[in-house]
């Protein structure tokens, strides 16, 4: 890595994060540093200073200052640690870059041949930041600024010239390169000079013309639209163009409103990019960071963002982003193809979201800002795997300053993990938080792909949408962080049901269009508990299954039915696949298993198979060198002892260095080409061996009402809960539905109950649900409720649920 200061979304995510405002990624030393200063180019001003205010009252001078403060970093004491050391490192790196610059026909630096879309512009921007920031030893150095200007113009003439043909990835030409070059030019203004600035503006107009903002479609949506608006805004600021500034700001407005399909924020909190991919973790974080920066830069200017619809973005902090952040990490189920870009990328994406939220809070209401600061403080204090404050010191000094101030403020309480359930039917995702644990569910449908691959990334993510169930208990913050995606068996992801016929690398269309031809992925939730269901069809496979999950306080009840296949190979349901060398205890007679330090599993009447293995891989290459041993405890309770992973490289490994990780896998083998196979098991995150054994010994704790391809349902007496996935209309226990739907009923112990329904297929014009339970009254109606009959039983008739995006609808009743 060579002096990359975050601007390529892909390259920076390899470092572990999206482009956060004020990013400061320092390169390693490449050349001996000398005290030589470059001669100031002719035509530069003797009195030039970083952030020169220009004429009094000049709004563009104010915008340039604001851009510097918001994106390069501010709010810290440059003489205090850690800022003093980090700024000195930035200055030393900038001096090395300045001194090693050798403009030529094919490169600006030896070893970085053109086009060098990422490294060369990023080095120029790093040098510009060393010029603009205090404490670098090169602050306001005219020679350094002149070198930046020379480099920007050289790159513009050799690579980014108006009239040149844009080849390869469009993103470099329209977003990555122009943003970095314009940023460098603004930070060192006015050293580029009028003539060279005009040539740069012409190049931007050629590759990223204003017309890219005309239509909100294609590659000009969501995060990409925010980036394009940023490029056009920087172009307008450099040109001191009021009209261009106004048009760039106005073009943000299509990003704000809720959407009902495709890219953007959906009313249930989903965020989609690439049409079919849930993407809060990468594109969403980039969008939030970009908007937070623009709102802050433009605040108080003639072009301040005042569109009332911007409130959707502010609301998204708690509706779209916070649910997927667990103890400082952003769950991989909303990070698309980025999941395998490097160890601990989930924690880096969580930091990027936290940084964006703190910056966005500076332009939000006092109430929003207070809530968000509590959120971020809680995440930072609980992230002991990759402590947020320490990591921010290396990545983003502006964020570090905000975070340090927050953590040192005893008046701000740290928000705890919120209990309950959030269902995101628009993105086929669910998040559940129980007592000391958290889980995330990833599904696929005709609206959401099985997985995303592209640009050679995530070529084996085939089954991440096949019901993958992620979960974290206390102390498990690195479960999917520490080289998991490099070393895990991609055909045995936890929670999935799969044909063991291995797909080809990059199977299915790129960029997330790996959607199955089925509509059902969703469920019903009352905010505390949930019933989720997925009609699963395999990726490039004949495998079909009906899967339901019932999320409770201390367990997830997992049901599978109608499992069939004609691929000529076995079909498996992966109960779990934990990256651990912990002791596994299995009692087949009593029907339970326990993984020490992780949790328990109750598997009545199930034929459980287990495996312990060491998996070795070079990041970015296929896993190899499997050393497997059975992890089966035999017919009675027995223990498989803990065994350390051989060759383990703590904290991940550098690119090209092999890593070995230990796994314990539990799965159910449905046989070759099964017909109507099924399963039932309980996952109990964080449960002790004694609690697991006791649950297995209490068969009445959960009663299965149905488990076939027409309906799946459970009753949990201790919770007063009955929940059913109706794949077709019918009856399960006390519930009857006239059409396919999801129903969840909870008796609350105070003489009332709630009944929640949803239409996961999004096609119901009418639905009638009957509960065989005496009900005295429905004291408060619901806008979609067209009829309610009470007495010996409750009969509710709902009007048109189609068009409600699979949302849950709840009524409260008074029991008879």
């Amino acid at each position: 890595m060579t002096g990359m200061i975050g601007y390529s979304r892909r390259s920076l995510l390899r470092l572990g994060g999206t482009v956060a405002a004020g990013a400061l990624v320092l390169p390693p030393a490449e050349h001996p540093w000398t005290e030589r200063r470059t001669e100031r180019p002719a035509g530069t001003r003797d009195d030039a200073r970083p952030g020169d205010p220009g004429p009094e009252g000049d709004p563009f001078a104010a915008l340039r200052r604001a851009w510097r403060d918001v994106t390069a970093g501010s709010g810290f004491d440059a003489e205090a640690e850690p800022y003093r050391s980090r700024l000195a490192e930035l200055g030393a790196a900038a001096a090395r870059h300045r001194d090693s610059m050798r403009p030529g026909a094919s490169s600006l630096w030896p070893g970085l041949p053109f086009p060098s879309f990422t490294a060369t512009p990023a080095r120029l921007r790093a040098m510009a930041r060393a010029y603009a920031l205090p404490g670098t030893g090169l602050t306001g150095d005219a020679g350094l600024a002149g070198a930046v200007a020379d480099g920007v113009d050289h790159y513009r003439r050799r690579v980014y010239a108006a009239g040149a043909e844009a080849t390869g990835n469009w993103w470099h030409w329209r977003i990555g390169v122009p943003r970095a070059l314009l940023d460098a030019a603004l930070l060192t203004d006015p050293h580029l000079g009028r003539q060279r600035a005009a040539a740069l503006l012409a190049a931007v107009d050629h590759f990223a013309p204003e017309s890219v903002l005309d239509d909100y479609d294609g590659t000009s949506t969501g995060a990409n639209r925010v980036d394009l608006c940023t490029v056009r805004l920087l172009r307008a600021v450099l040109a001191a163009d009021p009209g261009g500034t106004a048009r760039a700001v106005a073009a943000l407005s299509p990003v704000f409103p809720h959407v009902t399909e495709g890219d953007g924020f959906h009313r249930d909190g989903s965020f989609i990019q690439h049409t079919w991919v849930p993407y809060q973790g990468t594109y969403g974080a980039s969008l939030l960071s970009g908007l937070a920066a623009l709102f802050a830069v433009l605040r108080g200017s003639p072009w301040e963002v005042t569109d009332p619809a911007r409130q959707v973005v502010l609301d998204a902090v708690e509706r779209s982003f916070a649910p997927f952040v667990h103890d400082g990490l952003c769950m991989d189920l909303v990070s698309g193809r980025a999941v395998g870009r490097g160890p601990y990328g989930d924690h880096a994406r969580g930091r990027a979201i936290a940084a964006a939220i703190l910056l966005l809070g500076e332009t939000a209401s006092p109430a929003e800002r207070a809530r968000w600061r509590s959120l971020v403080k809680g995440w930072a204090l609980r992230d002991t795997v990759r402590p947020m404050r320490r990591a921010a010191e290396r990545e983003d000094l502006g964020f570090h300053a905000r975070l340090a101030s927050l953590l040192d403020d005893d008046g701000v309480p740290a928000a705890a993990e919120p209990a309950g359930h959030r269902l995101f039917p628009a993105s086929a995702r669910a998040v559940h938080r129980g007592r000391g644990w958290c889980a995330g569910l990833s599904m696929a449908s005709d609206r959401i792909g099985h997985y995303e691959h592209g640009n050679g990334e995530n070529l084996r993510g085939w089954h991440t949408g096949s019901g993958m169930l992620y979960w974290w208990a206390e102390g498990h913050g690195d479960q999917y962080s520490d080289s998991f995606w490099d070393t895990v068996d991609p055909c045995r992801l936890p929670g999935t049901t799969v044909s063991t016929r291995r797909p080809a690398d990059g199977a299915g269309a790129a960029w997330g269009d790996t959607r199955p031809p089925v509509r059902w992925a969703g469920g019903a939730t009352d905010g505390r508990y949930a019933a989720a269901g997925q009609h699963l069809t395999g990726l490039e496979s004949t495998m079909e299954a009906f899967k339901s999950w019932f999320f409770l306080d201390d367990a997830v009840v997992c049901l599978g039915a109608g499992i069939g296949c004609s691929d000529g190979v076995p079909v498996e349901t992966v109960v779990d696949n934990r990256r651990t060398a912990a002791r596994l205890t299995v009692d087949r007679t009593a029907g339970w298993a326990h993984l020490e330090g992780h949790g328990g599993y109750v598997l009545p009447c199930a034929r459980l198979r287990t495996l312990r293995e060491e998996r070795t891989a070079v990041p970015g290459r296929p896993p190899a060198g499997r050393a497997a041993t059975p992890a089966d405890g035999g017919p009675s309770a027995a223990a498989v002892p803990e065994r350390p992973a051989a060759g383990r490289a703590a904290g991940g490994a550098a690119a090209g260095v092999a890593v070995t990780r230990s796994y314990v896998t539990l799965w159910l083998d449905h046989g070759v080409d099964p017909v109507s196979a099924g399963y039932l098991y309980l996952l109990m995150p964080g449960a002790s061996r004694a609690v697991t054994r006791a649950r297995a010994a209490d068969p009445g704790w959960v009663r299965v009402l149905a488990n076939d391809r027409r309906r799946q349902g459970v009753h949990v007496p201790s919770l007063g809960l009955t929940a059913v996935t109706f794949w077709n209309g019918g009856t399960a226990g006390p519930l009857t539905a006239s059409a396919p739907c999801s129903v969840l009923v909870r008796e609350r112990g105070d003489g009332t109950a709630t009944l929640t329904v949803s239409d996961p297929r999004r096609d119901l014009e009418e639905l009638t649900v009957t509960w065989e339970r005496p009900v005295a009254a429905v004291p408060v109606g619901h806008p979609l409720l067209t009829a309610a009959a009470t007495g010996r039983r409750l009969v509710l008739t709902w009007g048109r649920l189609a068009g409600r995006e699979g949302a849950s609808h709840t009524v409260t009743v008074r029991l008879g």
Side-chain angles (χ1 to χ4, degrees):
M1 197 165 325
T2 52
M4 295 166 59
I5 297 208
Y7 86 93
S8 165
R9 185 181 291 118
R10 178 181 176 185
S11 61
L12 253 211
L13 281 172
R14 283 178 173 163
L15 292 175
T18 55
V19 180
L24 178 59
V25 181
L26 298 171
E30 295 178 15
H31 305 287
W33 177 74
T34 67
E35 288 288 338
R36 179 172 63 85
R37 285 176 53 143
T38 304
E39 290 296 318
R40 186 172 65 249
T44 58
R45 287 168 33 182
D46 290 331
D47 62 344
R49 303 188 304 275
D52 183 271
E56 185 176 352
D58 178 3
F60 289 102
L63 286 182
R64 287 192 293 272
R65 288 195 302 273
W67 178 258
R68 177 200 62 197
D69 292 344
V70 170
T71 65
S74 62
F76 50 81
D77 180 357
E79 295 300 317
E81 293 293 353
Y83 310 108
R84 181 177 179 178
S85 296
R86 299 290 83 78
L87 291 166
E89 290 175 22
L90 175 61
R96 290 194 301 271
H97 295 331
R98 176 199 63 196
D99 297 342
S100 60
M101 187 185 292
R102 299 290 184 270
S106 60
S107 68
L108 185 55
W109 278 281
L112 295 180
F114 290 148
S116 186
F117 288 129
T118 300
T120 293
R123 282 191 178 186
L124 293 169
R125 185 160 67 176
M127 295 164 65
R129 287 185 171 176
Y131 168 83
L133 285 170
T136 65
L138 291 171
T139 307
D141 186 283
L144 177 63
V148 172
D150 289 345
V152 167
D153 192 59
H154 184 77
Y155 190 85
R156 192 270 312 165
R157 286 185 287 109
R158 295 292 182 176
V159 178
Y160 201 69
E165 180 183 0
T167 59
N169 191 330
W170 69 270
W171 187 89
H172 295 302
W173 299 95
R174 287 190 170 181
I175 295 174
V177 169
R179 175 163 174 168
L181 298 183
L182 289 166
D183 193 2
L186 285 172
L187 291 176
T188 56
D189 185 68
H191 289 270
L192 187 60
R194 187 170 299 177
Q195 184 174 350
R196 294 191 294 187
L200 177 58
L201 297 177
V204 173
D205 287 340
H206 173 70
F207 293 109
E210 199 168 63
S211 61
V212 299
L213 305 179
D214 287 350
D215 299 311
Y216 192 69
D217 59 15
T219 57
S220 188
T221 61
N224 288 330
R225 169 55 75 102
V226 173
D227 286 343
L228 289 167
C229 288
T230 300
V231 167
R232 294 302 306 176
L233 176 67
L234 295 180
R235 186 250 182 246
V237 173
L238 185 62
D241 174 9
T245 303
R247 289 188 292 274
V249 173
L252 289 170
S253 287
V255 175
F256 302 149
H258 285 122
V259 299
T260 57
E261 60 182 8
D263 292 0
F265 291 105
H266 293 246
R267 292 189 181 277
D268 67 357
S270 298
F271 176 79
I272 304 295
Q273 191 83 39
H274 292 169
T275 311
W276 307 290
V277 186
Y279 244 135
Q280 281 93 330
T282 41
Y283 282 91
S286 178
L287 177 147
L288 195 67
S289 175
L291 289 176
L294 292 178
F295 290 172
V297 169
L298 295 165
R299 178 177 49 182
S301 78
W303 305 281
E304 183 169 358
V305 180
T306 58
D307 187 335
R310 71 192 286 269
Q311 186 61 44
V312 171
V313 176
L314 304 181
D315 293 342
V317 167
E318 290 158 292
R319 289 185 54 77
S320 300
F321 292 95
F324 291 100
V325 177
H326 169 66
D327 291 354
L329 67 84
C330 177
M331 301 176 191
D332 284 339
L333 60 161
V334 288
S335 291
R337 73 186 191 280
V339 294
R341 285 177 177 170
Y344 299 93
D346 50 357
H347 288 266
R349 289 185 283 274
R351 288 193 300 275
I353 291 172
I357 289 173
L358 288 186
L359 180 57
L360 188 66
E362 296 185 1
T363 57
S365 70
E368 288 167 326
R369 184 171 184 266
R371 293 198 307 272
W372 300 350
R373 283 166 59 81
S374 289
L375 269 179
V376 172
K377 189 170 188 175
W379 297 339
L381 292 176
R382 291 192 298 273
D383 190 350
T384 58
V385 172
R386 282 292 184 269
M388 193 176 289
R389 185 172 186 165
R390 188 185 310 159
E393 174 185 325
R394 283 284 176 181
E395 296 172 346
D396 183 340
L397 293 186
F399 171 43
H400 184 278
R402 295 183 188 95
L403 182 62
S405 174
L406 170 62
L407 293 177
D408 293 341
D409 187 347
D410 293 336
V412 178
E417 282 273 288
H421 192 91
R422 282 294 307 276
L423 189 61
F424 300 84
S427 55
R429 298 293 188 265
V431 175
H432 187 80
R433 288 176 165 87
R435 299 168 183 165
W437 61 279
C438 179
L441 176 64
S442 173
M443 302 175 284
S445 71
D446 62 349
R447 302 176 303 277
I448 299 297
H450 273 289
Y451 79 114
E452 183 196 39
H453 67 88
N455 287 341
E457 296 181 292
N458 198 36
L459 298 178
R460 297 182 175 180
W462 313 300
H463 302 305
T464 47
S466 298
M468 184 173 179
L469 185 61
Y470 307 69
W471 63 271
W472 300 262
E474 290 185 12
H476 296 163
D478 65 347
Q479 175 61 212
Y480 308 100
S481 311
D482 185 7
S483 300
F484 176 85
W485 295 104
D486 288 321
T487 56
V488 73
D489 185 339
C491 291
R492 284 183 173 160
L493 300 179
T496 61
T497 298
V498 299
S499 163
T500 57
R501 187 175 71 183
R502 190 181 184 89
D505 286 3
W511 311 114
D513 193 7
T514 51
R515 296 167 295 156
V518 292
R519 290 180 290 169
W520 189 302
T525 180
D526 63 1
R528 179 171 179 179
Y529 304 124
Q534 178 183 15
H535 180 193
L536 172 64
T537 59
L539 177 69
E540 298 189 349
S541 166
T542 61
M543 195 279 300
E544 180 185 34
F546 295 84
K547 296 170 69 72
S548 288
W549 299 264
F550 301 93
F551 292 91
L552 309 173
D553 289 322
D554 65 352
V556 184
V557 182
C558 305
L559 299 184
I563 301 172
C565 188
S566 58
D567 287 354
V569 297
V571 172
E572 298 176 352
T573 293
V574 184
V575 175
D576 217 338
N577 195 356
R578 300 295 282 178
R579 189 190 55 73
T580 184
R583 180 187 302 268
L584 176 68
T585 302
V586 179
D587 187 331
R588 294 181 179 277
T589 301
W592 60 270
H594 183 263
L595 190 57
E596 188 173 332
H598 288 254
Y601 311 86
V602 177
L603 301 96
C605 305
R607 292 167 51 194
L608 176 67
R609 298 186 63 181
T610 64
L611 177 71
R612 178 188 301 282
E613 61 180 340
E614 306 286 315
R615 295 182 63 83
T616 299
V618 175
R621 300 181 192 173
R626 176 186 299 181
T629 59
D632 191 336
S636 61
V640 179
E642 181 174 350
R643 184 161 49 117
R648 184 176 182 129
V657 178
V659 295
T660 298
R661 298 292 182 264
S662 301
Y663 286 86
V664 173
T665 312
L666 304 88
W667 77 95
L668 307 172
D669 186 347
H670 302 298
V672 176
D673 291 345
V675 177
S676 295
Y679 62 81
L680 159 65
Y681 64 89
L682 273 67
L683 167 66
M684 301 178 65
S688 68
R689 186 185 305 185
V691 169
T692 303
R693 183 191 298 116
R695 183 63 52 84
D698 183 6
W701 185 84
V702 58
R703 184 162 66 92
V704 177
L705 303 178
N707 188 23
D708 56 43
R709 61 183 300 127
R710 295 186 61 84
R711 66 261 194 276
Q712 294 174 307
V714 298
H715 175 57
V716 184
S718 61
L719 301 179
L721 181 139
T722 303
V724 180
T725 299
F726 287 102
W727 303 108
N728 300 96
T731 298
L735 292 172
T736 299
S738 64
C741 65
S742 183
V743 182
L744 184 148
V745 176
R746 178 159 61 104
E747 298 186 47
R748 304 170 75 173
D750 61 355
T752 68
T754 57
L755 187 147
T756 303
V757 302
S758 75
D759 171 21
R761 302 197 318 174
R762 306 182 178 199
D763 64 355
L764 291 181
E765 295 297 325
E766 185 177 81
L767 172 67
T768 299
V769 174
T770 301
W771 183 26
E772 294 292 341
R773 173 73 161 87
V775 170
V778 181
V780 180
H782 188 283
L784 298 178
L785 199 60
T786 60
T790 58
R792 295 178 57 188
R793 62 178 61 86
L794 174 69
V795 181
L796 299 178
T797 301
W798 301 81
R800 189 173 187 270
L801 297 177
R804 299 288 173 169
E805 302 183 66
S808 295
H809 309 282
T810 301
V811 295
T812 300
V813 301
R814 191 167 67 247
L815 299 174

